[in-house]
């Protein structure tokens, strides 16, 4: 947490606010030695062991060519810098990088990361169709677990074209030709995108075999579109009725338009490190352990069994999931939240069963019971999934990991799954490969309750926005003590935000347990402070003292001077040795 209203004296280790402050995702420095350039000792690999996600970041997923980024390097830079800030480390501390993308020339990974830094590290360019992002992630995990590196970046991005996917090369063997041949043998070939035909046929097989209905696929899409309304990173954030989804244009029955994921531009990044690195740099707050992660490719059953469900990876998913749960020593009942590959609603339908979330043939009942959403047994795709969040191929698996890390760190804002302790990820690419993973918070005693990520600040909002969110969050648990001490209301008028934007936050440390309100409020402030966004951030971080800000003209003050003097009490006091 960041500088929630701190006590006058804040020890280096005892206060949860102190721990929170060190875990901020905003800014370029952790208030410790985290941003020091990697030393020779840091570059040395640690013993073989566990792998932890310590930093995540992503861009908003957007319609191809219509978003805020002109090209993939700027997307990748944003995602990477957010992940570094989340972890509180510098790019110099990254020892290797695996970079995933599907549509692009060789060495796009270097082109993307050179905008962040040119440190000479190995950069591996990865392409594994729609599972590209999680392929980069499993490579990072293996590099860390194998003791080769202590800190590895997994980055994924995609700059796509509008419309359905198409082939790039027509003068060589197509990796999907065997799949299309088998599909023709089973169902024949019809009009419509091949991917929609493959997955739509899987739904048809499930309906014929187990009695599920087209409305079950539509209910999945309804759920995911509804979930996306809570996600500021989602490409689509509109709620649709079940009737609207069912009546949208048919792509390949039973799939309609609103049951198919869009093409997207976007990027996501994940930093994976060793336990030694976590301990050395005090990254306990953000550390999420990768309990198990498995990649499985096609076996002979994909083609030989003449099954539309197996043709799109049912057996791959089942095998990977069984391996992961066995390796982690966990059961499906231990899971609370799931991000799975819903490129089409049909794939989510069959994946419930392949992952073992419900019995074989039980997906229809599972959906009807609401066991795939809030209030049910699991929350599946709280991000909105691919259907609504979007699907930039190289970024998807890493965006899933990002969402699950926010969930386990209790930072998912309005999407937060209550009591999320174990998270399941599933990312599949035809051709084919599937990656399944289990995550859990590594050091639950170092808990975070901040929802700064999903609140939208890191999606191009105010730099100081997350700090106010943290203050409000802390007041929920410790507000009474601060109200007793401070007894004042402060309003911050923040200027020079993104694109020159202005906004205000009111910190009530006078009434009840206190609260933070954004925008217009009926509360009358005792003290009004006007500052630039960047200066508010420096003030809250303890890098700019209130008196210094006032006399240098960076702070404009209006109101009760005796109250203004209390401003120092709501700023953290960090011992110099820990700066």
């Amino acid at each position: 947490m960041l500088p929630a209203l701190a006590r006058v004296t804040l020890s280096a280790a005892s206060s949860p606010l102190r721990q929170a402050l060190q875990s901020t995702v905003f800014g370029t420095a952790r208030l410790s030695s985290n941003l020091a350039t990697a030393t020779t000792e840091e570059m040395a690999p640690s013993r073989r062991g566990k792998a932890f996600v310590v930093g995540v970041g992503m861009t908003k997923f957007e319609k191809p060519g219509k978003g805020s980024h002109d090209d993939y390097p700027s997307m990748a830079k944003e995602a990477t810098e957010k992940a570094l800030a989340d972890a509180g480390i510098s790019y110099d501390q990254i020892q290797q990088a695996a970079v995933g993308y599907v549509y692009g020339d060789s060495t796009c990974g270097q082109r993307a990361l050179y905008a962040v830094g040119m440190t000479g590290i190995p950069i591996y360019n990865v392409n594994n169709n729609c599972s590209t992002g999680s392929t980069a992630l499993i490579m990072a995990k293996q590099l860390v677990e194998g003791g080769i590196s202590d800190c590895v970046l997994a980055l994924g991005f995609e700059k796509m074209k509008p419309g359905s996917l198409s082939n790039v090369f027509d003068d060589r063997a197509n990796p999907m030709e065997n799949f299309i041949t088998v599909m023709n043998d089973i169902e024949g070939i019809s009009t419509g995108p091949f991917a929609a035909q493959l997955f739509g046929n899987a739904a048809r097989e499930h309906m014929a075999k187990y009695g599920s209905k087209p409305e079950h696929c539509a209910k999945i899409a309804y759920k995911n579109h509804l979930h996306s309304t809570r996600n500021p990173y989602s490409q689509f954030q509109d709620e649709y009725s079940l009737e609207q989804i069912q009546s949208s244009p048919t792509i390949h029955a039973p799939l309609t338009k609103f049951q198919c994921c869009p093409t997207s531009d976007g990027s996501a990044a994940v930093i994976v490190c060793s336990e030694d690195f976590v301990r050395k740099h005090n990254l306990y707050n953000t550390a999420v352990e990768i309990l198990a992660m498995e990649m499985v490719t096609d076996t002979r059953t994909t083609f030989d069994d003449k099954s539309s469900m197996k043709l799109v990876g049912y057996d791959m998913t089942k095998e990977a999931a069984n391996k992961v749960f066995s390796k982690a020593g966990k059961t499906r009942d231990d899971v609370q939240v799931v991000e799975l590959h819903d490129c089409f609603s049909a794939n989510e339908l069959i994946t419930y069963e392949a992952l073992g979330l419900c019995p074989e043939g039980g997906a229809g009942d599972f959906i009807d019971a609401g066991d795939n959403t809030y209030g049910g047994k699991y929350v599946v795709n709280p991000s909105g999934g691919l259907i609504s969040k979007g699907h930039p191929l190289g970024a998807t698996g890493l965006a899933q990991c990002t969402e699950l890390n926010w969930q386990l760190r209790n930072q998912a804002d309005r999407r937060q799954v209550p009591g999320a302790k174990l998270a399941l990820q599933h990312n599949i690419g035809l051709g084919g490969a599937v990656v399944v993973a289990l995550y859990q918070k590594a050091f639950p005693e170092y808990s975070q309750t901040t929802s700064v990520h999903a609140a939208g600040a890191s999606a191009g909002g105010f730099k100081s926005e997350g700090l106010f969110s943290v203050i409000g969050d802390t007041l929920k648990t410790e507000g009474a003590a601060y109200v007793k001490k401070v007894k004042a209301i402060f309003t911050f008028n923040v200027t020079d935000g993104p694109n020159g934007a202005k906004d205000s936050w009111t910190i009530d440390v006078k009434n009840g347990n206190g609260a933070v309100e954004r925008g217009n409020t009926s509360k009358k402030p005792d003290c009004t402070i006007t500052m630039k966004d960047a200066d508010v951030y420096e003030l809250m971080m303890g890098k700019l003292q209130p008196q210094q800000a006032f006399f240098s003209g960076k702070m404009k003050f209006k109101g009760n001077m005796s109250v203004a003097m209390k401003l120092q009490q709501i700023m953290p006091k960090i011992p110099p040795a820990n700066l």
Side-chain angles (χ1 to χ4, degrees):
M1 246 180 244
L2 256 168
L5 303 172
R7 296 174 176 82
V8 175
T9 301
L10 198 59
S11 70
S14 61
S15 171
L17 296 179
R18 167 71 183 158
Q19 297 163 358
L21 179 60
Q22 291 181 323
S23 68
T24 178
V25 299
F26 294 94
T28 59
R30 175 178 300 278
L31 296 185
S32 64
S33 61
N34 293 351
L35 281 184
T37 301
T39 65
T40 303
E41 180 186 358
E42 289 170 336
M43 294 296 289
S46 63
R47 66 185 183 278
R48 292 176 183 268
K50 300 176 180 179
F52 301 85
V53 175
V54 295
V56 295
M58 64 180 289
T59 67
K60 185 181 187 298
F61 288 179
E62 298 174 304
K63 185 176 181 180
K66 302 295 184 181
S68 56
H69 293 281
D70 293 333
D71 210 343
Y72 70 88
S74 62
M75 301 177 209
K77 186 174 188 289
E78 178 183 334
T80 301
E81 289 181 342
K82 285 179 178 177
L84 290 168
D86 189 24
I89 66 173
S90 70
Y91 186 68
D92 290 335
Q93 291 169 284
I94 300 295
Q95 298 164 10
Q96 302 202 58
V99 184
Y101 57 94
V102 176
Y103 295 105
D105 292 326
S106 182
T107 68
C108 283
Q110 282 89 325
R111 177 65 179 84
L113 282 178
Y114 285 175
V116 182
M118 299 178 69
T119 57
I121 61 170
I123 297 175
Y124 308 99
N125 290 270
V126 179
N127 182 340
N128 222 7
N129 224 341
C130 299
S131 61
T132 292
S134 56
T135 300
L137 181 58
I138 198 170
M139 288 180 64
K141 169 185 171 287
Q142 290 170 341
L143 288 167
V144 168
E145 280 187 338
I148 297 171
S149 294
D150 270 334
C151 187
V152 181
L153 170 69
L155 169 66
F157 55 79
E158 212 69 63
K159 178 177 173 60
M160 303 186 73
K161 295 180 179 180
S164 58
L165 303 181
S166 59
N167 296 328
V168 176
F169 303 104
D170 57 9
D171 61 346
R172 65 204 69 185
N174 189 314
M176 289 299 298
E177 61 188 21
N178 291 334
F179 293 82
I180 302 303
T181 297
V182 174
M183 181 182 77
N184 183 53
D185 293 342
I186 301 171
E187 285 276 348
I189 295 176
S190 65
T191 58
F194 280 132
Q197 291 184 55
L198 284 162
F199 286 100
N201 291 343
R204 293 178 182 181
E205 180 179 310
H206 193 277
M207 289 188 289
K209 192 173 182 180
Y210 300 118
S212 55
K213 301 175 182 178
E215 70 182 49
H216 289 123
C217 288
K219 285 182 177 181
I220 288 170
Y222 168 78
K223 166 189 68 74
N224 290 347
H225 283 294
L226 181 62
H227 287 179
S228 76
T229 63
R230 306 174 179 181
N231 186 0
Y233 293 92
S234 183
Q235 181 170 340
F236 300 126
Q237 299 176 34
D238 300 315
E239 180 180 353
Y240 297 100
S241 68
L242 190 63
E243 182 181 359
Q244 285 177 306
I245 291 168
Q246 291 173 312
S247 62
S248 62
T250 298
I251 305 302
H252 182 79
L255 300 175
T256 63
K257 181 179 179 180
F258 290 164
Q259 298 176 51
C260 306
C261 72
T263 52
S264 314
D265 287 349
S267 180
V270 172
I271 297 170
V272 182
C273 74
S274 66
E275 186 169 358
D276 282 355
F277 195 91
V278 171
R279 296 187 182 281
K280 185 181 298 182
H281 298 282
N282 192 28
L283 305 182
Y284 302 106
N285 274 324
T286 59
V288 168
E289 184 179 356
I290 306 175
L291 286 180
M293 179 178 284
E294 293 287 332
M295 177 188 288
V296 173
T297 58
D298 291 290
T299 62
R300 288 306 316 173
T301 62
T302 298
F303 299 138
D304 293 351
D305 286 8
K306 303 300 181 183
S307 162
S308 293
M309 290 168 57
K310 293 182 179 182
L311 194 59
V312 294
Y314 184 94
D315 280 357
M316 285 197 301
T317 293
K318 185 175 181 179
E319 182 179 347
N322 287 339
K323 285 182 176 181
V324 161
F325 280 100
S326 176
K327 182 174 287 188
K330 300 290 185 179
T331 70
R332 275 72 172 178
D333 290 340
D334 295 324
V335 173
Q336 293 82 36
V337 58
V338 183
E339 282 283 312
L340 65 77
H341 197 93
D342 62 316
C343 48
F344 300 90
S345 59
N347 198 45
E348 182 164 329
L349 175 82
I350 67 171
T351 301
Y352 293 151
E353 298 173 17
L355 290 173
L357 302 181
C358 66
E360 189 172 301
D365 291 339
F366 180 80
I367 294 164
D368 289 339
D371 280 336
N372 58 354
T373 190
Y374 297 88
K377 187 173 183 179
Y378 309 100
V379 179
V380 180
N381 289 330
S383 68
L386 284 62
I387 285 175
S388 200
K389 181 177 61 181
H391 185 24
L393 308 188
T396 288
L398 294 163
Q400 290 178 326
C401 177
T402 296
E403 174 69 22
L404 294 178
N405 272 257
W406 287 340
Q407 291 287 346
L408 292 171
R409 286 155 47 174
N410 199 26
Q411 295 178 319
D413 197 56
R414 294 189 300 137
R415 303 188 308 285
Q416 185 61 52
V417 176
K421 292 182 173 61
L422 187 68
L424 175 65
Q425 177 189 4
H426 164 266
N427 184 206
I428 196 168
L430 294 183
V434 64
V435 177
V436 175
L438 279 172
Y439 305 88
Q440 74 175 11
K441 185 72 175 72
F443 304 94
E445 64 272 24
Y446 295 88
S447 62
Q448 284 182 295
T449 55
T450 312
S451 56
V452 290
H453 294 282
S458 56
F462 283 77
K463 187 176 183 182
S464 59
E465 181 175 343
L467 312 188
F468 291 108
S469 297
V470 179
I471 291 172
D473 186 77
T474 300
L475 286 174
K476 293 176 183 177
T477 58
E478 302 183 47
Y482 294 116
V483 169
K484 185 176 181 180
K485 180 191 292 277
V486 180
K487 297 179 181 177
I489 298 176
F490 300 85
T491 290
F492 282 80
N493 291 324
V494 184
T495 66
D496 285 21
N499 298 316
K502 299 179 181 180
D503 211 334
S504 64
W505 281 264
T506 297
I507 305 173
D508 180 354
V509 203
K510 191 175 188 178
N511 302 297
N513 291 325
V516 175
E517 297 181 16
R518 183 173 183 174
N520 294 329
T521 178
S522 59
K523 295 179 179 179
K524 183 178 179 180
D526 298 292
C527 179
T528 300
I529 297 163
T530 301
M531 298 181 72
K532 293 180 180 180
D533 184 30
D535 292 335
V536 174
Y537 178 84
E538 295 291 304
L539 181 74
M540 293 289 191
M541 289 289 288
K543 297 180 180 180
L544 176 65
Q545 295 301 313
Q547 296 90 339
Q548 177 189 3
F550 178 77
F551 287 113
S552 66
K554 293 183 177 181
M555 174 195 293
K556 294 181 179 179
F557 159 78
K558 180 180 179 181
N560 189 316
M561 180 59 72
S562 63
V563 170
M565 298 299 291
K566 294 183 179 182
L567 184 62
Q568 189 72 26
Q569 296 184 28
I570 70 170
M571 298 296 111
K573 299 184 186 302
I574 307 300
N578 292 286
L579 290 176

